Amino acid sequence: MQDAQPKTIYLKDYQVPDYLVDSTDLHFELEPKATLVKSQLKIRRNPKAGQGLPPLLLDGVDLELLSIAIDGSILPEVSYQETLQGLSILVDKPEFILEIHNRINPEDNTSLEGLYLSNGMYCTQCEAEGFRKITFYPDRPDVMSKFTTTIVAPKDHPVLLSNGNQIDFGDCEDGRHFATWEDPFAKPSYLFALVAGNLENVEDTFATSSGREVKLQIFTEAKNIGKCEHAMRSLKKAMSWDEEVYGREYDLDIFMIVAVDHFNMGAMENKGLNIFNSACVLASPETATDSAFQRIESIVGHEYFHNWSGNRVTCRDWFQLSLKEGFTVFRDAEFSADMNSRAVKRIEDVSLLRTNQFAEDAGPMSHPIRPDSYIEISNFYTLTVYEKGAEVVRMLHTLLGKEKFRKGSDLYFERHDGSAATCEDFILSMEDANQVNLTQFRHWYSQAGTPILEVTDSFDQATGRYSLKVSQSCPTRANQDQSLPLHIPIKIGLLDVDGNDSILNNGGDIEEVLEVTQPEQLFEFSGFRKKPLPSLLRDFSAPVKVRYPYTGKQLIFLMRNDSDTFNRWDASQRLAFMALTQLQQDYRSGEALQLQPELIEAYRDVLIDSTLDPALVAEILRLPSEQSVAEMNDLIDAEAIVVARDFALKTLATALAPELLQRYTALDHQKPYSPNAKDIAERSLKNTCLSYLAATEKDDALNIVQKQFETAGNMTDSAAALSALINYGSAPKVDSAIQEFYQRWKDDTQVVELWLGLQSSSARNGILANIKNLIKHPSFEIKNPNKVRAVLGGFANRNFKQFHKEDGSGFFFIAEQVVMLDKINPQIAARLVVPITRWQKYSDDLSGKMREALQGILDSGGLSKDVFEVVSKSIN
């Protein structure tokens, strides 16, 4: 529970650990309510920490201490002090063996941190500070130790796993059995893992570039054993890719993945034993959508890549979290781009960044990718640390180029292998490997907020000189220092009047990376007979907002001609935002709503263009979400946003109905399911057309939706049809489809989560009453984060219209759930409250109700540090 005054941890206060742990020997005797943990730690004074023998401080939460011994002698109680945070032990020698026996209760551990039970299976989650819920330990990432782990359990838990390589196993005299694992690589406690249960596995092998054979295993419950093939293929692809692109070879004899239903995160990179949320590893054509297949490939790659960017080189302290996460997200994004459509992957990543991370930058929890303080570190597993952190790494890749970036990463891994590093170490490696100065670039790590680039241009007809003036600024919050100019790479092209890329000054190239380093900067280009049209921020080369006074006609030109696929999509988004902004203004002023014919024709041209990648067509056709539109507004008028987008969607659907039907019919072919890029692209466009057709609410269109629902041969098509029916179908058919889907898939956990999410995201009126029924449904489980994310998260994060009802009922309902959930799982509760925290950006009618809901949470008392930090920062 929350202390009276939660302690704030500051980066500036970092000190090296007083003691180091050379080896850690753990012994577990597993019982649901009374697991005995015996630890034997070889400890020595850290020579970098100064003189003397200060008390040994060990972290420990919710532990029952049984005994403490040093060098075999039991310590008297006067030699140590136990607190709510851990132990303080008096020490009289610089090196010693510390033995601690303690007891824990996995069955009642609903926080899903430390050791807990999921469907009868013992599993762990120790990042960031979960190991302290297992035993007393210096639970910080810069204390690295070699672990040996022995697990003793009843034989109805036949699978006993931990980090590293198994070195012993056998039967115990009391009828139980044991297994001992040894990890030869020093690691911090957050990378420790243990799994014990009645599991089956699929097995394969991978031959490394040096010729070693690595055993690969994926463990899951027996009912899911047929859903592991895609994850195994993804793992082998990731291993090959990391060798080829980064020269990183796997270092153990075995690599294991375990699928767990109850998990706070997507997955965890524990050394050699990755523990995964089941939704992020299990898939079959019948039960998983295309997006699930792609997400699994990405997450499997992400966790595997951590073996080097996170495990072999870990972070010194939690302020450096983006060192491992930002770098690894960049790596997994490049992997996914190479495996699938690079253009669509970039669009998806930037959409997430603009809609959610930009909102985070502008909200009360705004922080740099390397925060300078926190109360609860779990609150900083954010899009800023992950996604913006990845964009900062991408900018380095853009500035240095592929070969030089590889030189820098090679030096980084070489210098810091087996140690705990900092963001500064990463930048310094890039500098030293390439003899460059990145002093100004470092500001990205310490400065919060989304930079804004104001771009204007001019053309001198007489000289043929074209100029771009770029001004940079970055909004700051009241408690932040004034922002400094950043080093920003802006990739550009210049289009001539025929839509072709012009040759730029640099000798034949059609693109150039402009390095913006000053508050205001002028860039000049020569050799033009007519004024070109700039294609700015190609491939989204920096996480910034670019403001250039494009006209609607210019955006349509870019949408039709730009050779950069990302900017082609971006032009469509800008055009849509422009139209939606005008519709909001017209709605507020009481004028008749209308969509410009030129915009409709631009969408029609894209829709019927068979030369374009179908996946790109689908992305261009999708209107920005309400959340995206809200992020673009200085003051959010939720009702106007909903009305404007609904009008635009239905107007486009009606105007383009013949072309939508024609494209849908051409793509509606029956063939065996495959999650390859071509088929995924075709299904994406087909189902985008289906959703537009459903929006017309015409009987013939809804009959097509109903037919697809009844005949779909894969979950992608089935879920798309069910979503369309839920949002636009008649009540009897909707109820029938919902029940039919549930009855068919009620025994499949991942499909039920999808079913719950589709309903909670429906924009239909009366959805809050349905949400309240869903949390009483037998399939819902408040202790399962995936179910909470599907229902409550789906409502708060993906149902803009119904969540923002003017009576505030959505805010008050979520606030009630946050208070209740905080007693069960503080991490999930803290994430659920985030959609209410941006109350200051909303118009008066909603702003006051959002703040009132937050105040209610704060007044409830007894909050965890997780929820207290988010709410208190939001309301002050």
Side-chain angles (χ1 to χ4, degrees), residues 75-284:
L75 290 186
E77 291 187 4
V78 295
S79 296
Y80 63 89
Q81 181 181 5
E82 185 175 5
T83 69
L84 292 175
Q85 288 73 43
L87 285 175
S88 175
I89 304 172
L90 298 179
V91 173
D92 60 4
K93 59 185 77 173
E95 296 186 19
F96 53 92
I97 302 295
L98 176 68
E99 295 180 73
I100 296 180
H101 293 185
N102 66 272
R103 192 176 285 121
I104 54 177
N105 183 347
E107 188 170 83
D108 292 344
N109 182 5
T110 62
S111 71
L112 311 187
E113 296 178 279
L115 179 67
Y116 63 93
L117 285 169
S118 173
N119 298 339
M121 170 175 52
Y122 292 89
C123 55
T124 56
Q125 170 53 29
C126 295
E127 187 177 354
E129 296 178 339
F131 193 79
R132 64 191 62 189
K133 290 190 173 186
I134 294 175
T135 190
F136 295 96
Y137 201 83
D139 190 15
R140 48 188 289 172
D142 56 353
V143 174
M144 303 179 70
S145 178
K146 292 186 177 181
F147 280 67
T148 302
T149 304
T150 298
I151 308 165
V152 179
K155 290 187 176 180
D156 60 357
H157 287 66
V159 175
L160 308 176
L161 308 175
S162 192
N163 309 86
N165 300 314
Q166 184 173 286
I167 59 173
D168 197 7
F169 66 95
D171 295 332
C172 303
E173 293 181 358
D174 60 2
R176 295 182 294 173
H177 68 144
F178 77 93
T180 300
W181 293 78
E182 181 182 69
D183 189 346
F185 297 95
K187 65 174 180 284
S189 56
Y190 84 85
L191 288 173
F192 171 78
L194 178 155
V195 171
N198 185 9
L199 304 170
E200 293 189 8
N201 74 84
V202 295
E203 189 170 303
D204 205 337
T205 60
F206 178 82
T208 69
S209 56
S210 67
R212 291 188 308 107
E213 186 173 279
V214 179
K215 181 191 292 186
L216 310 177
Q217 293 179 312
I218 300 178
F219 292 85
T220 185
E221 297 174 65
K223 65 179 182 179
N224 293 321
I225 200 65
K227 296 182 179 181
C228 299
E229 181 182 348
H230 177 66
M232 184 65 81
R233 283 199 306 267
S234 300
L235 175 58
K236 296 179 75 171
K237 287 180 183 178
M239 297 177 82
S240 293
W241 187 89
D242 210 21
E243 288 186 346
E244 179 182 346
V245 178
Y246 281 89
R248 299 296 109 192
E249 183 177 310
Y250 187 62
D251 49 12
L252 291 171
D253 299 329
I254 187 170
F255 185 91
M256 299 170 286
I257 290 174
V258 180
V260 177
D261 280 350
H262 297 74
F263 207 68
N264 283 340
M265 302 181 182
M268 178 60 205
E269 72 267 18
N270 326 92
K271 183 70 178 180
L273 176 57
N274 286 191
I275 300 179
F276 270 63
N277 187 318
S278 295
C280 298
V281 70
L282 302 175
S284 69

Side-chain angles (χ1 to χ4, degrees), residues 244-246 330 396-411 429-430 433-434:
E244 179 182 346
V245 178
Y246 281 89
F330 170 72
L396 283 172
H397 190 275
T398 299
L399 288 167
L400 296 174
K402 182 178 179 179
E403 292 183 3
K404 290 183 177 180
F405 184 85
R406 169 66 188 272
K407 282 180 63 179
S409 67
D410 283 349
L411 181 59
S429 295
M430 292 291 168
N434 298 291

Side-chain angles (χ1 to χ4, degrees), residues 686-706:
K686 180 183 78 169
N687 288 314
T688 298
C689 292
L690 184 74
S691 67
Y692 266 109
L693 289 169
T696 66
E697 300 185 85
K698 302 290 187 182
D699 289 343
D700 54 350
L702 292 174
N703 288 338
I704 294 172
V705 175
Q706 184 70 36

